[in-house]
Amino acid sequence: MIGSTVPSTPSVVGLGVVVVDDSPVQRRFLRAMIDADPELTVIGEARTGKEAVALVERLHPVVVLMDLDLPVMNGIEAIERIMATQPTPIVVYSAFVAGPDNANGLAALAAGAVDIVAKPSPRESEDLDSYAEALRRRLRVASRVRVITHPRGRLKATTLSGSALPAAPPVEEPVVPRAPAARTVATGHPPIDLIAIGVSTGGPQALATLLSALPETMTQAVLIVQHMADGFLEGLAQWLDSQCALPVGVGEGGKRLQPGTVTLAPGGLNLIVHERLRVTCEVPPPSQFHIPGIDPTFMSVAHHVGPAAIGVILTGMGRDGAAGLKEMRDCGSVTVGQDEASSAVYGMPGAAKALGAVEHERPLAQIASLLLTLVDTPAARVAR
């Protein structure tokens, strides 16, 4: 039985939120936190995944807050069906522990969810005001994410008549024509040693698309800074490792980035790159909002790798990475930005473009082929 329906008032004040959890206590807890924000209004509650799908189709909320451990239809399947029939930003409300919950959280992102919020720990329970404000902020951010029908959901969803929806046609990655150079790059330009990628909202799906198109024969190190709560990045690395030919792991201080490998910045820390691709992990300052931070990593790449690096900024909310990518470009790195049409959120790529940090702007499906062209022929890169 669905716990709440459309309010009797003619219009809803605030951004409509649907809460999905099988626990009445949790639903009341979440409703109280959400309704305390004048910008947000809980317009419906669901106890099961099946109820959630029906409620989203009927109420058209701007964002859904969903637990994964649901009866009748689990959260992963509910996300897939919602993203197939009524694409809506979904924030997963997950127990913050290692193991199965971690893996399920990553599976939810792969199914089309845009963010994961940890259920409050005992320590956070002592300061629920701060936790509630952080939760409301994540919901406001998620509500602005532009979502599309998710291909994984389309494959599993069914029509009202019960027949399977047709699978989306395979997307062939177009060949990227080499743009004419505005000036000649000096002969003997250093080869590319490092590709540094910054990404946030919509990142797991974008990273899977990009990395799966890179061959195992690549000799460059790939470094990724993904905004994500501490504790989930290890699961993200394992999931990406299963999606692409290159090995994927989480970075450690004192190690070197290895050729032909993908390294994710660890949770809770900034990953700083030094000479010869040695990395250290640093505690971020209290004023830093996004952790791990893209700007600190990009700045270090600019100063210690410079022309031997490529910087890539992908989908994400906010401005993190824009200043760092500009610094990379000023220090001789090639820089690439995801275009608006293919971004779940154009905030970070748009901010980088506005700063003049982006040399090459491409749809997500074309970025891998551009990177392969750039690392193969560094002397033919488009001039700044």
Side-chain angles (χ1 to χ4, degrees):
M1 181 175 183
I2 297 174
S4 177
T5 58
V6 180
S8 58
T9 52
S11 60
V12 175
V13 178
L15 302 172
V17 182
V18 162
V19 173
V20 187
D21 197 300
D22 65 337
S23 166
V25 174
Q26 282 289 337
R27 293 200 302 273
R28 287 195 297 271
F29 172 70
L30 294 170
R31 176 183 278 274
M33 287 194 293
I34 294 168
D35 283 346
D37 190 326
E39 295 184 40
L40 301 170
T41 300
V42 176
I43 59 173
E45 298 176 11
R47 181 180 61 86
T48 72
K50 186 176 181 179
E51 290 174 358
V53 175
L55 197 59
V56 169
E57 290 181 351
R58 182 157 59 88
L59 299 184
H60 305 287
V62 296
V63 64
V64 177
L65 182 62
M66 180 184 293
D67 191 11
L68 295 180
D69 186 14
L70 301 171
V72 183
M73 178 191 295
N74 65 44
I76 302 297
E77 186 175 354
I79 291 170
E80 290 174 340
R81 289 177 181 268
I82 290 170
M83 297 309 294
T85 60
Q86 185 67 42
T88 305
I90 299 172
V91 175
V92 169
Y93 181 66
S94 173
F96 196 63
V97 295
D101 285 339
N102 184 303
N104 287 339
L106 271 298
L109 291 173
V114 300
D115 199 3
I116 301 175
V117 175
K119 291 187 178 180
S121 65
R123 177 180 58 82
E124 290 167 323
S125 297
E126 298 172 2
D127 187 10
L128 283 180
D129 288 343
S130 296
Y131 177 86
E133 179 51 41
L135 173 64
R136 292 190 291 260
R137 182 176 62 243
R138 301 285 277 273
L139 290 173
R140 292 193 298 268
V141 168
S143 73
R144 298 193 290 272
V145 175
R146 178 178 55 82
V147 293
I148 60 174
T149 301
H150 200 272
R152 179 169 163 181
R154 291 185 77 250
L155 291 174
K156 293 191 176 184
T158 59
T159 64
L160 293 177
S161 63
S163 59
L165 287 171
V171 177
E172 294 186 7
E173 187 172 300
V175 176
V176 180
R178 183 177 298 165
R183 64 176 174 84
T184 302
V185 179
T187 303
H189 193 286
I192 299 299
D193 294 327
L194 175 65
I195 299 171
I197 301 171
V199 62
S200 185
T201 312
Q205 300 96 319
L207 290 171
T209 298
L210 193 160
L211 295 178
S212 64
L214 298 179
E216 62 182 349
T217 54
M218 279 194 68
T219 58
Q220 291 73 29
V222 179
L223 172 60
I224 295 170
V225 183
Q226 161 76 62
H227 293 158
M228 185 169 283
D230 189 11
F232 284 103
L233 281 159
E234 290 78 6
L236 176 62
Q238 293 172 8
W239 179 70
L240 289 173
D241 186 67
S242 71
Q243 304 295 308
C244 64
L246 298 173
V248 182
V250 177
E252 299 179 39
K255 300 291 184 67
R256 297 187 190 279
L257 301 176
Q258 296 300 312
T261 64
V262 179
T263 301
L264 268 67
L269 299 168
N270 291 331
L271 193 68
I272 305 301
V273 180
H274 303 271
E275 289 83 0
R276 299 177 59 192
L277 303 188
R278 184 178 62 85
V279 298
T280 57
C281 296
E282 298 183 358
V283 176
S287 59
Q288 184 176 316
F289 180 72
H290 294 294
I291 302 171
I294 301 171
D295 272 330
T297 297
F298 277 7
M299 291 288 186
S300 69
V301 172
H303 297 155
H304 296 296
V305 188
I310 298 173
V312 182
I313 193 81
L314 300 178
T315 175
M317 184 73 70
R319 302 181 56 84
D320 190 25
L325 195 71
K326 181 62 164 61
E327 188 75 7
M328 288 184 67
R329 185 174 186 183
D330 290 345
C331 290
S333 305
V334 183
T335 59
V336 180
Q338 185 175 350
D339 75 348
E340 184 172 7
S342 67
S343 297
V345 182
Y346 190 57
M348 293 184 345
K353 184 178 180 180
L355 277 182
V358 176
E359 296 179 57
H360 308 269
E361 186 174 72
R362 294 287 190 276
L364 178 64
Q366 295 183 16
I367 291 178
S369 60
L370 173 63
L371 294 178
L372 294 176
T373 298
L374 293 170
V375 300
D376 185 52
T377 55
R381 294 179 300 172
V382 178
R384 266 64 84 195

